[in-house]
Amino acid sequence: MALTQQYIEQIRQCTLFASLTDAELNRVASHGQVVEWGAGQTVFSQGEPCHQFYLVQRGMIKLYRISVDGTEKVMDLAGPNQSFAESAMFDGKYPLHATAIEPSTVFAFDCKDFMTQMHDNVELCFRLMLSMSQRLHGMINEIDRLTLHSGTQRLAEYLLEQVPEGVMQSPCIRLLVPKLVIASRLGIQPETFSRIMARLRSDGMIETHNDTILLKDLGALRCLAACTG
Amino acid sequence: MALTQQYIEQIRQCTLFASLTDAELNRVASHGQVVEWGAGQTVFSQGEPCHQFYLVQRGMIKLYRISVDGTEKVMDLAGPNQSFAESAMFDGKYPLHATAIEPSTVFAFDCKDFMTQMHDNVELCFRLMLSMSQRLHGMINEIDRLTLHSGTQRLAEYLLEQVPEGVMQSPCIRLLVPKLVIASRLGIQPETFSRIMARLRSDGMIETHNDTILLKDLGALRCLAACTG
DNA sequence: GACGTGCATTGATGTATGTCAAATTCCACC
DNA sequence: GGTGGAATTTGACATACATCAATGCACGTC
């Protein structure tokens, strides 16, 4: 489906497009599409030639790799207002799989057009380079966590990341994706995830009701995440 | 020390600078320096404001993080003709530590000048974006290996990576850095590294003499690296 | 409302890898 | 060429986490 005017303002929210003029944004949009994906549908597969990159409007996209024995590692989760696969433009093919884990609306932008637009607009290049550098540093942090932190620490960090800005004490958070997926994201097994949660519960740090989690002791969680433990 | 004419051709070897005209390259060089670092000397520390990015001329630079308890995780090793910390330009500070692990000569380029040069030269932007996207995909592979592959697999992969192109059978490779450093690079302990090597040796896949390693059975190593085992 | 499917939890058990410690080898420096 | 300190190796032991298996729970479908 064509990317109509009604979505323009929403696209501008994404920092990648924030600096564009109305005319430029319209041009990007004119080469874009709105696509709907059902839960479990694949947006693209690893190795596939890359002609588009994406911005999530609604829903959740899982970005992941699969090993030879079928095990899946979730590399990232893209929710509303988050873009993905921009860097694949330069490689020509996607470095991982992407599938929707719930009904999702996604904006798809044409790589070729975006590249020519970057040629005419250095500012846009800088936007993309900033975005890529941030993603790169995010990856460094990811490797840091995977190698230097324990499963418990990573889970505590994840819970704390879900807390909205400015909340001071005992915030209540919701897990936006199945625990199975979070476990893979954190590099642990679902069983281990469940066990760590049980321990945090019995230690009085959290209270749980399905996907809703009350963080009773932020201080203890922060210590767990930061310190050796 | 100023970056004199004698180094220009060497800098051009790096893909990042390959597309530059003589005039452009001279300008980059005029804002650059040649710096010598002894073994163990730090090039920059994590969090430090970033004013330069680097290209190794000779030697080896270790890029790493340190955890609260002092444990060190080597994220990457930059040898001759490899650049590092380009992406820090956009963040304003270095995301990790860099120290020389042997006497090294490094070209240092001024970020501010390079940024203005990118403003005038979209081609240069594209070069950097290509380089960043490759690094990004390298990181994805890294996380893939850390989470989906065993220590043995990662070590086998590392050994195979050291084999020069086109060598068909029983290549002899040399470890260019202390095993301690490689172990950290692979996310395992030095003791584990040693034990895995011993196992590969007793399985007849390799022969070792200090830092020299004969890969006796490439097929078996490839199977070990790729398959589950 | 019964049924089925997939997710989550809990228990029992296995194992790869980490940790601690000591012996040995290597290497740089005097 | 000897000496000291770091890197490496090896052994004994500990443990976090994975694996296997069974049960429970929630959700959607007919």
Side-chain angles (χ1 to χ4, degrees), chain A residues 23-205:
Chain A
E24 288 163 343
L25 204 54
N26 277 322
R27 175 171 159 194
V28 169
S30 74
H31 289 264
Q33 289 176 283
V34 181
V35 194
E36 296 282 336
W37 300 104
Q41 289 194 301
T42 96
V43 179
F44 55 74
S45 298
Q46 184 184 343
E48 220 174 274
C50 162
H51 301 117
Q52 297 182 309
F53 69 95
Y54 305 88
L55 174 60
V56 179
Q57 195 254 329
R58 162 193 83 103
M60 188 70 74
I61 307 296
K62 177 176 73 174
L63 302 161
Y64 63 105
R65 281 280 183 97
I66 296 181
S67 78
V68 279
D69 66 350
T71 316
E72 176 178 311
K73 162 61 185 170
V74 175
M75 297 283 174
D76 207 358
L77 293 164
N81 213 28
Q82 291 191 291
S83 59
F84 60 96
E86 320 93 316
S87 70
M89 265 191 281
F90 300 93
D91 224 50
K93 48 188 189 175
Y94 296 108
L96 37 65
H97 302 276
T99 85
I101 56 173
E102 58 185 87
S104 304
T105 308
V106 175
F107 302 132
F109 302 103
D110 186 70
C111 288
K112 220 148 110 187
D113 174 67
F114 197 81
M115 295 281 260
T116 63
Q117 195 141 353
M118 278 198 292
H119 263 291
D120 302 340
N121 184 348
V122 190
E123 232 14 88
L124 192 54
C125 292
F126 274 78
R127 280 283 171 176
L128 184 55
M129 287 191 279
L130 177 63
S131 155
M132 284 171 75
S133 82
Q134 283 167 350
R135 193 143 297 176
L136 210 46
H137 295 170
M139 293 288 222
I140 294 176
N141 287 330
E142 196 65 30
I143 294 177
D144 186 309
R145 279 189 291 262
L146 282 171
T147 54
L148 261 18
H149 297 193
S150 69
T152 306
Q153 285 177 299
R154 299 203 295 274
L155 178 45
E157 285 157 20
Y158 184 84
L159 293 178
L160 290 169
E161 270 174 27
Q162 307 306 307
V163 178
E165 301 276 320
V167 177
M168 285 291 108
Q169 54 182 353
S170 299
C172 193
I173 63 173
R174 294 199 60 187
L175 303 180
L176 305 171
V177 294
K179 295 176 181 177
L180 188 78
V181 175
I182 298 176
S184 171
R185 175 72 244 269
L186 297 175
I188 55 180
Q189 295 305 118
E191 294 94 327
T192 308
F193 182 97
S194 186
R195 275 186 254 271
I196 295 173
M197 288 294 268
R199 214 178 61 231
L200 296 183
R201 212 180 306 124
S202 77
D203 286 356
M205 294 190 198

Side-chain angles (χ1 to χ4, degrees), chain B residues 10-11 13-15 17 37 43 53-63 74-86 98-107 109 135 158 162 175-177 181 185:
Chain B
Q10 201 169 354
I11 294 172
Q13 301 305 313
C14 177
T15 57
F17 299 103
W37 300 104
V43 178
F53 69 95
Y54 305 88
L55 174 60
V56 179
Q57 195 255 327
R58 161 194 84 102
M60 189 69 75
I61 307 296
K62 177 176 74 175
L63 302 162
V74 175
M75 298 282 174
D76 207 358
L77 293 164
N81 212 28
Q82 291 191 293
S83 58
F84 60 96
E86 320 93 315
T99 85
I101 57 172
E102 59 185 84
S104 304
T105 308
V106 175
F107 301 132
F109 302 104
R135 193 143 296 174
Y158 184 85
Q162 308 306 305
L175 303 179
L176 304 171
V177 295
V181 175
R185 176 71 244 271

Side-chain angles (χ1 to χ4, degrees), chain B residues 77-136:
Chain B
L77 293 164
N81 212 28
Q82 291 191 293
S83 58
F84 60 96
E86 320 93 315
S87 70
M89 265 191 283
F90 300 92
D91 224 51
K93 49 187 190 176
Y94 297 110
L96 36 66
H97 303 277
T99 85
I101 57 172
E102 59 185 84
S104 304
T105 308
V106 175
F107 301 132
F109 302 104
D110 186 71
C111 290
K112 219 148 111 188
D113 174 67
F114 197 80
M115 295 280 261
T116 64
Q117 196 142 351
M118 280 197 292
H119 263 290
D120 303 341
N121 185 347
V122 189
E123 230 18 87
L124 194 53
C125 292
F126 274 78
R127 281 282 170 175
L128 185 55
M129 287 191 279
L130 177 62
S131 154
M132 283 170 77
S133 83
Q134 284 168 350
R135 193 143 296 174
L136 212 44

Side-chain angles (χ1 to χ4, degrees), chain B residues 175-191:
Chain B
L175 303 179
L176 304 171
V177 295
K179 295 175 181 177
L180 189 78
V181 175
I182 299 176
S184 172
R185 176 71 244 271
L186 297 176
I188 54 180
Q189 296 305 118
E191 294 94 327

